[in-house]
Amino acid sequence: MRIAVSLLIGMFVFAACAASQSIRPSGESLEESVKIYWDARVKNEPRVAYFYENMSLDKKYDLELYTRNFYRYNVAVKEFQIIETGKEGSGPKGTTPVKLRVKMNVLLDIGVKWDENRPVETTDYWKKNEDGKWYHMIQHLTGNMI
């Protein structure tokens, strides 16, 4: 029985590692990473988006926590377009800015109307990690990034 349980656990761990590797192939450019991440936001796929978040490198932010919070967002991305990519490392804390045009649905308090067809321009920040992969930086309201 112990051997069967150990094998089962081993298979789950191997599958999880294989899934994360297949989601993040080596050699992705910044533009490819941005597109995959934002496509996952459009398709409402937190189990893809997570592996592009810088927070995924921190053990205290696991996939399940991210997924639970993902579905609590009050913003649903409908579509996006990359407008411009800044110079590598030119953003805050050595990040690389990526200017986007995003259309989204926003769930606001009663009485506030959001024009979901009006695109919003925003700047996203990405950082290249030691593993050579690009990661999306989540910005806090305080301006700090994780």
Side-chain angles (χ1 to χ4, degrees):
M1 181 70 171
R2 276 188 182 168
I3 294 173
V5 171
S6 295
L7 286 174
L8 187 61
I9 290 171
M11 288 175 22
F12 282 125
V13 169
F14 177 75
C17 291
S20 70
Q21 291 304 317
S22 66
I23 289 171
R24 296 300 312 258
S26 61
E28 281 180 327
S29 68
L30 173 58
E31 187 171 315
E32 289 169 323
S33 297
V34 171
K35 285 180 179 179
I36 292 169
Y37 170 79
W38 281 97
D39 278 339
R41 293 288 308 269
V42 169
K43 294 174 183 173
N44 206 24
E45 296 176 335
R47 293 183 181 273
V48 173
Y50 171 77
F51 292 103
Y52 287 84
E53 297 284 11
N54 187 60
M55 69 180 350
S56 71
L57 301 172
D58 188 333
K59 299 292 183 210
K60 67 183 175 185
Y61 300 108
D62 68 4
L63 176 59
E64 295 308 314
L65 174 67
Y66 181 82
T67 300
R68 280 193 310 272
N69 287 324
F70 188 92
Y71 289 119
R72 291 181 187 155
Y73 291 161
N74 289 330
V75 177
V77 179
K78 291 176 59 176
E79 60 184 70
F80 72 95
Q81 175 187 10
I82 299 172
I83 298 171
E84 177 181 33
T85 301
K87 181 180 174 191
E88 187 172 332
S90 65
K93 298 184 180 185
T95 59
T96 300
V98 177
K99 193 172 187 178
L100 301 168
R101 184 172 293 122
V102 182
K103 286 186 181 180
M104 61 190 113
N105 290 331
V106 180
L107 303 174
L108 299 171
D109 291 336
I110 295 174
V112 178
K113 180 131 174 91
W114 178 266
D115 180 3
E116 63 187 44
N117 293 311
R118 182 188 66 185
V120 175
E121 288 190 8
T122 186
T123 302
D124 223 11
Y125 295 97
W126 289 74
K127 186 145 183 142
K128 194 171 196 176
N129 192 31
E130 296 166 358
D131 64 6
K133 296 177 182 174
W134 288 95
Y135 290 88
H136 180 249
M137 305 297 290
I138 295 179
Q139 300 174 58
H140 289 287
L141 294 175
T142 62
N144 292 330
M145 290 187 231
I146 58 170

